[in-house]
Amino acid sequence: MDNQLYLSSSPHIHSGETTERIMRLVIYALLPAILLSLIFFGLPALSVLLICTLGCIGFEALACRLMKLPNSIKDGSGALTGILLALNLPASTPWWISLLGAAIAILIGKMIYGGLGYNPFNPALVARVVLLISFPVQMTRWTAPTPLTSGIDAVSAATPLGEMKTAVMLTGKLPEMATSGFLNYFSGNIAGCLGEVSALALLAGGLFLIYKKVISWHIPVSFIGSTLAISAIFWLIDPSKYPNPLFHLITGGLVLGAFFMATDMVTSPVTHKGMLIFGFGCGLLTILIRLFGGYPEGVSFAILLMNAATPLIDRYCRPKIYGQVEQQA
Amino acid sequence: MSLKKIFTRGLWKENAVFKLLLGLCPVLAVTTNAENGLGMGLATTFVLLCSNGVVALMRNIIPSGVRIPAFIIIIATFVTIVQLVMEAWTYELYQALGIFIPLIVCNCLILGRAEAFASKRPVFSSLVDAIGMGSGFTLALFVLGAIREIFGSGELFGVTLFGAGYQPMLLMILPPGAFISMGLLLALMNKFENR
C-alpha cells in the first residue's frame, strides 16, 4: 500500500507560521521594555516578572491537567500572558497579588473558556482589572524609578496621569508637569507600571512586530491616532484644563496597550476595516476615561470593552465573498 | 407525588437559583454578605408560603383569564406586609436590602410557583412546595452571600475570620464579583453532578 495516492484539500503550501513562533517574536519584542523596567525598578520588578510568568505557566499546566486537555504550555501563550501581566503591575506589587493575578489571568481569563483561541477577553488585562478593582491600595502604590545603583529601596510617587487627575479635580487646572517638561518621560523616567516605564522601548518592540508581520499596523495606528486626535480637540478647546496630546501618548499604558494588548489576535477583529474601528473605539474610550472617568488610566478598560464588542465588529465587517452579487433590495 | 418528594425537589433537584436560574436579580444584587442573603431568602420564603397558600385556596374562584393579575395582587399584599414588618423590626436589614424588598413582587420564582403549582394543587401540598422552594432559594442566597463575604471582606456574619494580614478582595462584594462567583459555583456544580 506504499504507492497509495494521498489526497488532501488545500492549502498545500504552509508559511511556517505557528503559534509558538508568534509568541516567541512577541516576547522578543517586549525584551527592551523588560530590560529597561529591570534597570529602572531593580529587583522588585524582577520578582514581579518571575512570579507572574512562572505562575501563568504553572496554572496553565494545572488547568490542562484538570481539564484533560493536551498540555499547551509549550506554545508560549501562557508565558506571554504572564509577561504582559507583569508589565501591567507596579513594581511594589506583593508576591501574593502577582500570583493571584496569574491565576485569574489563566484560569478565569483563558482556560475556563477552553484555552487559547476561545477567550473573549485579553487574559492579562482581565487579571489587571480584577486586581485593580480588588486591591486599589496595593495596585496604585507606584514607585518612582529607582535604579539598582542608587542604594534606595523604593521611592513612592504618583503617576503622571494620577497627578493630572488629582490636580484637575482639586483646582480645575493642569499641574505644571503636564504642560511642560514631560518629554523626558519618553525615554523612561516615569512612575508607573513596569511596562509604562518607557514609551520608546515599547515603540521599538512594536515596530519590530509590524516589520515581522506578526501584527498589522491597523490597530496601533488607529488606536494611537484616535487618542491623539480626540485629545487634541479637547486640548484646543482649553489648554489649561486638558493636557497636550503628546502627554497622553507617552504617559500611562497607551503604547503598551496599542501595540501589545489590543493587537491580541484572539480578542481583536479579523478584518482590517474591523481593526480600524476597534482601534478607534479603544482610543475614544481611553480619552473619555482619562479625562472624565473615575480612574486616572483608561487603556485597560477601553481594550476590554472593545474586546466585548469584537464579535459585533466582525459581524458587520464580514468581507464579501468573491463573485457574490449584491442582493437587490 | 409524595410530600417528601415535593419538598426535596425545591431544595435541590429543582433549586430555583442553581438549577432553574430563576429570580437572579435579587440573588446577584443583595448577596454582598451572608446576613443580607439570609434575610432576603427568608423574606422571599415567607411571601412564597403565604401566596402559595392563598392561591391554592382560591384556585377554584379565580377565573383563568385574569389569573396573573390576581396572583400579582395576592403576592403584592404579602410583600407589603413583609416590607412593613422589616421596616419596623429589622430596620438595618431593611435599609441594606432597599428596593429589592418591594421587588420581591416580580420575583419570577413566586409567580412561577403560583402558576405552575399552587393554582392546580390543594392547599397543603402547595404549602410544602413553598417551603421546599423557599428553603432552596434561601440556601442559595446564603451560600453565595457567605462566599462573597468571606472573600470580599474576610468576615462571616460580620465576624472577622482571618488575621490582620488578610487582604479582602474587594471585587467580590462588587457587582462583577456576584456574576463571577455565581458562574464559578454553577460550573463546579455541573462538574460534580455530571460525573
Side-chain angles (χ1 to χ4, degrees):
Chain A
M1 293 296 271
D2 272 356
N3 45 8
Q4 196 177 355
L5 180 64
Y6 286 103
L7 284 176
S8 68
S9 68
S10 61
H12 301 288
I13 300 172
H14 194 269
S15 69
E17 191 86 300
T18 57
T19 311
E20 291 95 272
R21 179 171 169 273
I22 291 173
M23 297 299 164
R24 208 169 51 232
L25 282 174
V26 178
I27 292 174
Y28 289 161
L30 282 168
L31 280 180
I34 295 172
L35 275 179
L36 268 183
S37 75
L38 292 182
I39 292 170
F40 279 114
F41 293 113
L43 285 178
L46 183 67
S47 88
V48 171
L49 259 166
L50 281 180
I51 293 171
C52 285
T53 314
L54 296 178
C56 279
I57 296 173
F59 283 118
E60 179 148 348
L62 182 76
C64 287
R65 218 175 154 152
L66 287 179
M67 295 163 70
K68 301 189 179 72
L69 289 172
N71 198 328
S72 60
I73 56 170
K74 275 210 200 92
D75 68 17
S77 63
L80 179 61
T81 300
I83 293 175
L84 284 174
L85 172 63
L87 291 179
N88 272 293
L89 297 176
S92 60
T93 313
W95 64 269
W96 55 272
I97 287 190
S98 309
L99 198 65
L100 184 67
I104 293 167
I106 293 299
L107 301 180
I108 296 184
K110 184 168 133 190
M111 294 316 282
I112 214 165
Y113 296 103
L116 183 68
Y118 298 101
N119 48 314
F121 300 103
N122 187 316
L125 282 181
V126 170
R128 177 196 140 89
V129 166
V130 168
L131 294 179
L132 181 65
I133 294 174
S134 298
F135 310 104
V137 178
Q138 287 88 342
M139 286 291 291
T140 50
R141 199 188 287 143
W142 310 107
T143 46
T146 42
L148 275 173
T149 49
S150 68
I152 310 166
D153 276 351
V155 179
S156 66
T159 63
L161 283 170
E163 205 174 326
M164 181 197 90
K165 179 136 262 169
T166 317
V168 169
M169 261 159 52
L170 291 177
T171 63
K173 291 259 181 256
L174 282 178
E176 200 184 331
M177 46 53 79
T179 51
S180 62
F182 55 79
L183 280 176
N184 66 336
Y185 294 142
F186 191 55
S187 59
N189 196 7
I190 186 172
C193 300
L194 299 186
E196 288 178 347
V197 82
S198 167
L200 186 65
L202 290 165
L203 208 58
L207 292 178
F208 169 75
L209 285 185
I210 292 181
Y211 168 72
K212 281 283 184 187
K213 294 207 167 77
V214 173
I215 60 176
S216 73
W217 56 269
H218 299 79
I219 289 179
V221 166
S222 92
F223 191 166
I224 294 177
S226 58
T227 309
L228 288 179
I230 298 164
S231 59
I233 296 172
F234 282 109
W235 183 57
L236 288 174
I237 292 173
D238 187 358
S240 72
K241 204 170 152 204
Y242 301 112
N244 192 308
L246 280 178
F247 176 79
H248 279 293
L249 173 64
I250 60 184
T251 58
L254 179 60
V255 180
L256 177 69
F259 281 99
F260 292 96
M261 317 286 267
T263 53
D264 176 11
M265 292 169 182
V266 180
T267 57
S268 64
V270 182
T271 60
H272 286 162
K273 198 167 120 201
M275 289 177 179
L276 290 176
I277 300 173
F278 181 85
F280 172 78
C282 290
L284 179 70
L285 287 169
T286 301
I287 288 297
L288 288 181
I289 295 171
R290 279 189 183 179
L291 293 181
F292 307 108
Y295 283 91
E297 170 61 311
V299 171
S300 41
F301 293 108
I303 297 175
L304 283 177
L305 284 168
M306 290 311 288
N307 282 165
T310 295
L312 198 68
I313 297 174
D314 268 339
R315 205 185 156 93
Y316 283 103
C317 295
R318 219 182 277 165
K320 208 161 65 181
I321 297 164
Y322 183 69
Q324 188 185 15
V325 182
E326 200 142 324
Q327 236 164 22
Q328 300 293 317
Chain B
M1 206 184 305
S2 72
L3 288 177
K4 195 181 150 208
K5 216 170 166 193
I6 293 175
F7 176 74
T8 53
R9 188 186 56 172
L11 208 56
W12 187 252
K13 219 178 133 214
E14 284 180 24
N15 186 300
V17 176
F18 291 140
K19 293 294 161 65
L20 307 180
L21 298 181
L22 282 178
L24 285 192
C25 172
V27 171
L28 296 173
V30 305
T31 52
T32 49
N33 60 42
E35 193 190 331
N36 287 359
L38 202 58
M40 186 71 196
L42 290 178
T44 310
T45 306
F46 171 77
V47 174
L48 183 59
L49 188 64
C50 298
S51 72
N52 252 16
V54 174
V55 167
L57 266 178
M58 298 169 69
R59 68 183 186 281
N60 296 325
I61 311 171
I62 300 172
S64 80
V66 293
R67 66 186 191 285
I68 301 289
F71 295 163
I72 290 288
I73 288 173
I74 293 169
I75 295 167
T77 311
F78 292 110
V79 170
T80 312
I81 294 173
V82 165
Q83 189 181 2
L84 292 175
V85 167
M86 286 179 82
E87 193 175 359
W89 278 302
T90 58
Y91 190 63
E92 267 176 34
L93 187 62
Y94 170 78
Q95 292 237 302
L97 296 182
I99 184 70
F100 291 100
I101 301 175
L103 279 179
I104 297 175
V105 176
C106 39
N107 189 323
C108 44
L109 167 67
I110 297 174
L111 187 63
R113 287 334 284 177
E115 165 79 8
F117 198 93
S119 64
K120 295 166 192 150
R121 301 297 188 97
V123 179
F124 189 67
S125 51
S126 294
L127 290 177
V128 174
D129 174 70
I131 295 173
M133 285 284 166
S135 329
F137 190 74
T138 310
L139 177 80
L141 262 82
F142 169 70
V143 169
L144 202 58
I147 291 175
R148 289 178 66 193
E149 190 179 3
I150 290 171
F151 285 107
S153 33
E155 297 174 340
L156 191 61
F157 286 110
V159 181
T160 311
L161 292 179
F162 305 101
Y166 179 77
Q167 277 291 330
M169 198 172 162
L170 211 55
L171 179 92
M172 290 298 278
I173 52 171
L174 296 173
F179 285 95
I180 294 173
S181 33
M182 179 77 186
L184 291 178
L185 217 55
L186 287 180
L188 266 182
M189 279 182 180
N190 282 349
K191 182 156 175 63
F192 287 110
E193 294 240 320
N194 292 347
R195 271 213 242 242

